[in-house]
């Protein structure tokens, strides 16, 4: 007897049983990727010195000051702070001019305003020689040294009048700017 071509007849579910594992194997071997952007930005500056990291973001803490301290004095005890300049290269500049920027107190010109519950007070800044630092006005230039230069300052709380002082927490934000010559 002559045999004819042999037919393989499969049903659709049988075909899926053979094909689906192959497709699944292909899909598992594909790498899944997602794209996201990262933006980098900054400013390159030619500054003779680098501001020390402990000088960049400072908090001068006055602690607790008794409101009655302003009966006999219009200022609190001073709190010192400094701006440290490191890696100073005198070939790029030998002097620095500092400006303290902030909101001037409307009731006490020449002082920096405070925010918070406390009222009738403002922040006074002075250089190391006791000269007043006025808001948003440049100080006299200071000679910088090769390597490190430390700029010394002090802050005090000043009362408008003892009878106008109201107790409470307070803050004042002041930013310093350096300009090299």
């Amino acid at each position: 007897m002559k045999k004819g071509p042999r037919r393989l007849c499969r049903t659709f579910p049988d075909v899926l049983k053979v094909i689906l594992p192959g497709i699944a194997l292909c899909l598992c071997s594909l790498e899944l990727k997602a794209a996201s952007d990262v933006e980098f930005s900054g400013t390159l500056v030619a500054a003779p010195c680098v501001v020390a990291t402990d000088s960049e973001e400072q908090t001068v803490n006055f602690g607790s000051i008794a409101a009655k301290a302003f009966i006999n004095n219009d200022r609190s005890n001073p709190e010192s702070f400094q701006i440290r300049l490191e890696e100073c290269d005198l070939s790029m500049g030998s002097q620095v001019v500092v400006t303290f920027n902030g909101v001037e107190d409307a009731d006490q010109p020449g002082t920096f305003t405070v925010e918070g519950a406390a009222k009738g007070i403002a922040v006074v800044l002075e250089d190391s020689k006791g000269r007043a630092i006025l808001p948003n006005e440049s100080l006299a230039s200071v000679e910088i040294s090769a390597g490190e230069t430390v700029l010394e300052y002090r802050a005090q709380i000043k009362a408008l009048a003892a009878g106008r002082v109201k107790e409470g927490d307070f803050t004042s934000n002041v930013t310093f700017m350096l300009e090299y010559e």
Side-chain angles (χ1 to χ4, degrees):
M1 206 179 239
K2 194 173 183 186
K3 291 186 178 176
R6 190 171 172 199
R7 287 187 155 182
L8 295 173
C9 193
R10 296 191 182 230
T11 63
F12 184 70
D14 289 337
V15 171
L16 287 178
K17 286 181 187 175
V18 172
I19 294 176
L20 282 180
I23 292 173
L25 183 62
C26 289
L27 289 176
C28 288
S29 66
L30 291 178
E31 289 185 39
L32 299 177
K33 295 183 180 181
S36 294
D37 293 332
V38 176
E39 182 177 324
F40 298 95
S41 65
T43 304
L44 295 178
V45 295
C49 303
V50 174
V51 177
T53 54
D54 61 348
S55 292
E56 287 179 347
E57 302 289 330
Q58 296 187 55
T59 299
V60 177
N61 189 348
F62 287 98
S64 296
I65 303 170
K68 68 180 182 176
F70 296 110
I71 293 172
N72 296 322
N73 302 299
D74 69 339
R75 294 182 182 205
S76 69
N77 290 326
E79 294 292 331
S80 297
F81 68 100
Q82 51 185 229
I83 299 172
R84 285 189 321 109
L85 305 176
E86 300 176 325
E87 303 173 29
C88 295
D89 179 358
L90 299 181
S91 69
M92 298 176 71
S94 61
Q95 296 184 334
V96 64
V97 175
V98 181
T99 305
F100 287 91
N101 295 314
V103 178
E104 186 171 18
D105 189 83
D107 295 325
Q108 300 186 71
T111 64
F112 294 88
T113 192
V114 298
E115 296 176 355
K119 302 293 181 213
I121 62 171
V123 174
V124 175
L125 297 182
E126 297 177 342
D127 67 11
S128 61
K129 295 179 180 165
R131 294 179 294 218
I133 296 172
L134 302 177
N136 312 310
E137 291 190 19
S138 298
L139 304 177
S141 61
V142 176
E143 205 69 34
I144 57 177
S145 303
E148 181 178 85
T149 299
V150 179
L151 306 171
E152 302 276 347
Y153 302 100
R154 57 182 171 246
Q156 293 176 293
I157 299 302
K158 183 179 180 204
L160 183 60
R164 296 185 60 186
V165 173
K166 180 183 174 214
E167 299 86 0
D169 291 339
F170 64 90
T171 60
S172 181
N173 291 309
V174 178
T175 303
F176 66 85
M177 185 176 73
L178 305 174
E179 187 177 344
Y180 295 96
E181 299 175 338

